[in-house]
């Protein structure tokens, strides 16, 4: 699996000092990849989700994918 991958994206316009709550689903396909058996599947793993303005800044949350 790649170290980082864009799995969800939403562009939000904010005025200076403004905040908004944004939600969007990330289903199993967001965590799937072509494995060594040539199947597109999500495998058990510990992943970190990043929310931020770019790929090097933002907030993170860790989750565990189980089967």
């Amino acid at each position: 699996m790649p170290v980082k991958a864009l799995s969800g994206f939403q562009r939000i316009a904010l005025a200076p000092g403004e905040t908004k709550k944004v939600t969007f689903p990330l289903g199993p396909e967001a965590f799937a990849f072509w494995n060594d058996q040539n199947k597109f599947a999500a495998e058990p793993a510990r992943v970190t989700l990043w929310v931020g303005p770019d790929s090097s800044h933002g907030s993170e949350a860790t989750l565990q994918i189980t089967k």
Side-chain angles (χ1 to χ4, degrees):
M1 287 186 64
V3 174
K4 289 185 178 181
L6 180 62
S7 294
F9 177 85
Q10 230 175 44
R11 186 177 194 111
I12 306 298
L14 298 173
E18 181 183 8
T19 62
K20 283 186 181 179
K21 181 178 181 177
V22 179
T23 60
F24 55 94
L26 289 175
E29 67 282 350
F31 303 98
F33 63 98
W34 291 100
N35 64 21
D36 60 352
Q37 297 172 356
N38 204 27
K39 293 182 182 177
F40 193 67
E43 295 182 352
R46 185 178 174 103
V47 298
T48 302
L49 303 175
W50 285 86
V51 177
D54 57 50
S55 63
S56 61
H57 300 93
S59 301
E60 67 179 75
T62 302
L63 62 92
Q64 183 74 35
I65 298 174
T66 60
K67 278 195 175 186

